[in-house]
Amino acid sequence: MAKTSKEKSKTYHHGDLKQALVDGAVRRVEQNGVKGFSLRAVAGEVNVSSGAPYHHFRDAQALLTAVAERGFRQLNMALNTASEAAGTYPDKLAGIGTAYVLFALEKPQLFALMRQPEYWTGPDAGALQEARAATYGALASVVDGCLPEETETARKDACMAAWSFVEGLALLATDGRLQTLSPDEAPEDIARRLVGCFSPHSFSKGDQQ
Amino acid sequence: MAKTSKEKSKTYHHGDLKQALVDGAVRRVEQNGVKGFSLRAVAGEVNVSSGAPYHHFRDAQALLTAVAERGFRQLNMALNTASEAAGTYPDKLAGIGTAYVLFALEKPQLFALMRQPEYWTGPDAGALQEARAATYGALASVVDGCLPEETETARKDACMAAWSFVEGLALLATDGRLQTLSPDEAPEDIARRLVGCFSPHSFSKGDQQ
DNA sequence: CCTCGAATCTGAACGCCGCTTAGATAGAGC
DNA sequence: GCTCTATCTAAGCGGCGTTCAGATTCGAGG
């Protein structure tokens, strides 16, 4: 029997503590960031002793890894939706890039956690790595679809360049540097505009300089 | 009288504790990252009680702000050197972009600290903000020099796009994602190649695609 | 239905952390 | 030489992650 979060802890066993911990951790990270997260606080929030989480997660980092994994799943859904919504490949590219930056803007703290390499190394990061690979795959396939026939390395370079650009945009957007461009414009609109300027063709020819 | 780090603490007053703390903090951050940093450990390293640093820094974050500031000064020197070494503006652009990524690759932990917004907000971040602005200015002026005459917003957009791309490259390079392109190639070489592919012209025309 | 092993949770403890405070010490200006 | 102020120490507070022995409950097999 599942318990709602409000009702007092009557049962010695929680029932679904693992999921409750991830839920609480996600909420705390989204509100206060990784720095404002503590395993004890999350445990207290679900009326459980400070040692209880260790029956479900090897340590605090493992719980945060689960949080990041959930973040990647949400991100992948957003990217797929945006990609399928567009008809032509250039539109897909603009759409998926914009969706990436918008996700970062909507959940900046969660996105910052997802960017930390320490959570996708480690022994409990298998599912996370899978979700991360899917994210890159989604973007790469769209970029690849925009490219003319080229050498293998040129295609790969273009994918990586697009990845870099979008990741950089998301980074600048989340910590407000994008807004220094035009303070009156909404950061979402700036992001849309800059993503739209990107053309993978300019990266697929190495001698363009 | 300055003390070397090795000799035992004989004097009650340290002499130049503030600088010694920054030195120790830089060393610790470069070796173990921000997570492996603690104010107590740095204090102990320079043979000083755990409360002493608070006479020179308001809190641990203020010390890390000083660390980040020193990092930005080093980065700015590297960027200026690279920019002046090249003759033509396209060469300057490739040089400064490469220098940026190479700095990130040489000091990844320090660079990761410099990327955290929490250190350049706050009341003790004046000098840091100045150094950060100089970093952006150096890149922006070089990008601007590469551009043909355009509208003001187009030039600004191109600068921001270049900024995003380089920042994204540095991010991907430092956490190893760049190496997935070609595992046999040195990350420095991949970075050089991708930076070289970038052309600001492709961003200065919004209707290209 | 009952029993017993395994899974789960508690409560207390350890060591480390950031930060504060009261008081000791040393250098600087008169 | 004396005082004033900056600097440093020692001790302590609460919070943290983590561990562990023991209490509690679940669930499978008799």
Side-chain angles (χ1 to χ4, degrees), chain A residues 110-200:
Chain A
L110 181 58
F111 189 76
L113 169 68
M114 293 157 59
R115 215 165 30 207
Q116 307 281 344
E118 58 212 80
Y119 299 115
W120 31 272
T121 60
D124 314 298
L128 174 54
Q129 297 225 8
E130 197 177 332
R132 263 180 36 85
T135 304
Y136 175 69
L139 181 62
S141 73
V142 170
V143 173
D144 215 52
C146 293
L147 289 176
E149 314 299 331
E150 301 271 353
T151 62
E152 181 71 9
T153 66
R155 299 180 78 90
K156 280 185 170 182
D157 280 8
C159 287
M160 198 53 86
W163 186 247
S164 296
F165 179 57
V166 171
E167 197 83 55
L169 267 183
L171 181 61
L172 267 56
T174 51
D175 55 45
R177 290 188 254 175
L178 222 55
Q179 309 201 45
T180 63
L181 253 188
S182 47
D184 301 333
E185 204 175 355
E188 294 86 359
D189 294 333
I190 306 179
R192 260 184 253 271
R193 182 154 47 90
L194 287 181
V195 168
C197 291
F198 176 77
S199 163

Side-chain angles (χ1 to χ4, degrees), chain B residues 22-195:
Chain B
V22 179
D23 290 343
V26 167
R27 200 174 333 123
R28 272 199 123 78
V29 166
E30 284 185 353
Q31 285 176 1
N32 312 107
V34 198
K35 297 257 158 141
F37 161 88
S38 90
L39 201 52
R40 290 178 106 109
V42 174
E45 206 172 33
V46 292
N47 292 113
V48 137
S49 81
S50 67
Y54 291 89
H55 292 275
H56 302 278
F57 298 96
R58 128 175 14 224
D59 51 21
Q61 175 174 312
L63 175 52
L64 289 176
T65 295
V67 172
E69 180 197 336
R70 181 175 292 188
F72 271 104
R73 290 200 199 289
Q74 293 177 22
L75 174 58
N76 288 339
M77 282 178 46
L79 295 189
N80 289 335
T81 302
S83 175
E84 290 164 6
T88 71
Y89 258 110
D91 283 351
K92 281 183 188 296
L93 180 62
I96 203 172
T98 305
Y100 194 90
V101 180
L102 289 188
F103 178 86
L105 278 170
E106 276 167 21
K107 316 210 163 178
Q109 310 267 34
L110 181 57
F111 189 76
L113 168 66
M114 293 158 57
R115 216 165 29 206
Q116 307 281 343
E118 58 213 78
Y119 299 115
W120 30 273
T121 60
D124 313 298
L128 173 54
Q129 298 226 7
E130 197 176 334
R132 263 178 37 83
T135 304
Y136 176 68
L139 180 64
S141 73
V142 170
V143 174
D144 215 52
C146 294
L147 289 176
E149 314 299 331
E150 298 273 354
T151 62
E152 179 72 10
T153 66
R155 299 179 78 89
K156 280 186 168 180
D157 280 8
C159 286
M160 197 54 85
W163 185 248
S164 294
F165 179 58
V166 171
E167 196 84 55
L169 267 183
L171 181 61
L172 266 57
T174 50
D175 56 45
R177 288 188 255 175
L178 222 55
Q179 308 200 46
T180 63
L181 251 188
S182 47
D184 302 333
E185 202 175 357
E188 294 86 359
D189 295 332
I190 307 179
R192 262 184 252 272
R193 184 155 46 90
L194 287 181
V195 168

Side-chain angles (χ1 to χ4, degrees), chain A residues 3-22:
Chain A
K3 289 167 25 51
T4 70
S5 58
K6 275 298 176 189
E7 87 184 87
K8 270 289 182 91
S9 128
K10 297 175 192 170
T11 59
Y12 190 90
H13 282 4
H14 179 283
D16 194 6
L17 181 54
K18 185 164 186 172
Q19 210 58 29
L21 286 172
V22 178

Side-chain angles (χ1 to χ4, degrees), chain A residues 57-131:
Chain A
F57 298 96
R58 133 179 5 229
D59 51 21
Q61 176 173 314
L63 175 52
L64 288 177
T65 295
V67 172
E69 180 197 336
R70 180 174 294 190
F72 272 104
R73 292 201 196 289
Q74 293 178 22
L75 174 58
N76 288 339
M77 282 177 47
L79 295 189
N80 289 335
T81 302
S83 174
E84 290 164 5
T88 72
Y89 259 111
D91 284 350
K92 280 183 189 296
L93 180 61
I96 202 172
T98 304
Y100 195 89
V101 180
L102 289 189
F103 178 86
L105 278 170
E106 275 167 23
K107 316 211 164 175
Q109 310 267 34
L110 181 58
F111 189 76
L113 169 68
M114 293 157 59
R115 215 165 30 207
Q116 307 281 344
E118 58 212 80
Y119 299 115
W120 31 272
T121 60
D124 314 298
L128 174 54
Q129 297 225 8
E130 197 177 332

